[in-house]
């Protein structure tokens, strides 16, 4: 059996990133890029969280994340705030600007899902999502 799953996942990631960026451009959304959108998505789910939590939830390396956060902060998308419970920690918070971008992101994300699952039945989508979750869980065990 010729197993190509890892390669295929990499190809899907590259293509989906390219399409996501194209949809952002078509909608004249230039406040964030695809990778920054992943960070914002995490913050829209739970604001005021540590960089470590963001790294865990986005899969981005902490070193990559730090430079991205610097650019996002300079662009007015996020701000760093001290953790009231632990003064050694810094949390990342949304700005009003980024809160106002959530709707745009949701529209782009919805369009991506339509493209991603075009021609799939609801049952096939559910099966695919379940398998992807299992692969993710398997990989997480080796981090």
């Amino acid at each position: 059996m010729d197993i190509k799953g890892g390669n295929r996942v990499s190809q899907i990631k590259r293509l989906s990133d390219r399409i996501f960026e194209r949809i952002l451009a078509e909608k004249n959304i230039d406040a964030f890029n695809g990778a920054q959108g992943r960070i914002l998505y995490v913050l829209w789910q739970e604001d005021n969280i540590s960089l470590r939590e963001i790294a865990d939830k986005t899969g981005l390396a902490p070193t990559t994340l730090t430079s991205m956060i610097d650019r996002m902060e300079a662009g007015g998308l996020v701000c760093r705030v001290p953790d009231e419970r632990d003064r050694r920690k810094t949390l990342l918070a949304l700005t009003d600007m980024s809160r106002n971008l959530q709707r745009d992101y949701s529209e782009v994300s919805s369009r991506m899902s339509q493209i991603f699952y075009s021609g799939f039945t609801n049952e096939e989508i559910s099966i695919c999502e379940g398998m992807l979750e299992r692969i993710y869980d398997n990989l997480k065990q080796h981090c």
Side-chain angles (χ1 to χ4, degrees):
M1 181 170 161
D2 190 19
I3 298 175
K4 303 176 188 175
N7 184 48
R8 184 61 70 197
V9 168
S10 293
Q11 292 172 330
I12 290 169
K13 168 82 171 83
R14 281 192 303 276
L15 284 173
S16 66
D17 285 350
R18 204 174 319 153
I19 293 166
F20 192 89
E21 294 294 338
R22 187 181 72 221
I23 294 170
L24 286 174
E26 288 170 359
K27 292 186 167 290
N28 294 316
I29 300 169
D30 59 3
F32 61 88
N33 60 35
Q36 292 171 338
R38 289 198 318 252
I39 294 167
L40 291 172
Y41 178 80
V42 167
L43 289 169
W44 287 321
Q45 308 311 304
E46 182 181 2
D47 200 4
N48 293 305
I49 61 174
S50 71
L51 295 179
R52 177 79 247 155
E53 290 175 280
I54 292 172
D56 289 344
K57 292 179 181 194
T58 61
L60 295 168
T63 52
T64 302
L65 187 61
T66 301
S67 61
M68 288 179 67
I69 298 299
D70 289 343
R71 287 191 300 277
M72 292 175 74
E73 189 172 31
L77 292 170
V78 297
C79 60
R80 289 177 169 98
V81 295
D83 187 335
E84 293 175 1
R85 293 169 288 161
D86 183 348
R87 292 176 20 176
R88 296 169 295 172
K89 278 187 177 180
T90 299
L91 304 177
L92 201 61
L94 294 167
T95 62
D96 289 339
M97 177 184 171
S98 58
R99 282 186 189 89
N100 292 331
L101 292 169
Q102 186 173 4
R103 184 175 186 192
D104 290 336
Y105 182 88
S106 292
E107 289 175 10
V108 174
S109 183
S110 177
R111 178 66 183 125
M112 285 299 298
S113 291
Q114 291 170 357
I115 292 168
F116 205 83
Y117 287 119
S118 177
F120 281 63
T121 66
N122 286 339
E123 181 181 5
E124 289 171 328
I125 292 169
S126 180
I127 290 168
C128 183
E129 292 282 324
M131 288 181 177
L132 290 170
E133 193 64 34
R134 285 176 55 196
I135 291 169
Y136 177 78
D137 289 344
N138 289 342
L139 293 172
K140 283 291 279 185
Q141 291 178 21
H142 295 275
C143 285

